Every structure is written in C-alpha cells, then in structure tokens.
Amino acid sequence: MTAPSTQRLVAICRLDDIDPEGGVAALVGGEVVAVFRTYADEVLALDNYDPFGRASVLSRGIVGTRGDRDVVASPLHKQVFDLRTGVCLDDETVRVAVHPVVVRDGVVHVEIAPA
Ligand code: FES
C-alpha cells in the first residue's frame, strides 16, 4: 500500500452521470479506469483492461452480483470480476487492479498513485 501522501484524487464525473448498475471509463493518470455504480449506489473502480479479452472494455460490462459480491462480467468473454478485490471469480489466479473511490459533494473521485 502506497502512503496516502503520494496519492491524489482525480475527479471523474458526477455520481448522477453513472446509471445504477452501469459503468464509465475515465482516463486517470495515464491509464483507463472503469468506474461502476452498484444497485446500492456504491461506487467502485477497477482497471478497464480485461486480461482475458486483452482489450480495455470492462466499463462496458454487466454489473450485478454473484452471491453477496458485487461484480462485473466482461462484455467480451463474460469472465466475472469482483468489484472490491479485482479477483476474477472464474479464474482466481487473475486479478485486475482496484482503485479507491471517494464520492464528495456528489462528485466521484478516483484515488491514484502518480506515475
Ligand atoms: S478467453 Fe475467450 S471465452 Fe474465455
């Protein structure tokens, strides 16, 4: 874990700009991050890159739940990723990076370490 002082918050969009169970892609610090809003209005962020499909597509995946976990299913090959841990539930040796999200005054911010 990087020390908080080396990280920064990048404003992405308003919470209302993301549909419930939807996602948006945002360029943050030179990488594309997928930001998702759950049915319960929680906002979570993963790298947008699908390591199975080898394309930057996760923001266009289907948000839902598997058991009690909030997940996104890749639009390419349907592998399911846990939105809190980034672990692929179909192949737990694979994971994508998770980015902390802060919603402040209705605006979604992603926390990222400077490159
Ligand atoms: S990588 Fe294509 S179906 Fe799994």
Side-chain angles (χ1 to χ4, degrees):
M1 184 93 188
T2 317
S5 61
T6 67
Q7 308 221 339
R8 63 201 164 97
L9 290 177
V10 178
I12 304 299
C13 63
R14 299 195 58 81
L15 176 62
D16 292 345
D17 293 334
I18 312 176
D19 291 330
E21 302 204 295
V24 298
L27 189 61
V28 181
E31 66 180 301
V32 184
V33 171
V35 184
F36 302 100
R37 177 177 178 179
T38 69
Y39 183 76
D41 280 345
E42 221 178 320
V43 186
L44 299 156
L46 301 176
D47 273 356
N48 198 38
Y49 187 77
D50 171 359
F52 295 97
R54 296 170 193 260
S56 199
V57 294
L58 289 184
S59 67
R60 291 190 274 122
I62 312 260
V63 178
T65 55
R66 184 181 279 185
D68 58 1
R69 298 178 179 202
D70 290 304
V71 298
V72 62
S74 171
L76 286 178
H77 300 305
K78 312 301 182 221
Q79 280 90 359
V80 168
F81 296 88
D82 186 307
L83 293 183
R84 285 187 180 72
T85 64
V87 171
C88 176
L89 299 186
D90 298 307
D91 178 350
E92 297 201 357
T93 65
V94 177
R95 67 189 302 158
V96 298
V98 176
H99 301 283
V101 175
V102 178
V103 181
R104 194 176 279 166
D105 297 329
V107 177
V108 176
H109 299 75
V110 171
E111 189 176 288
I112 194 150

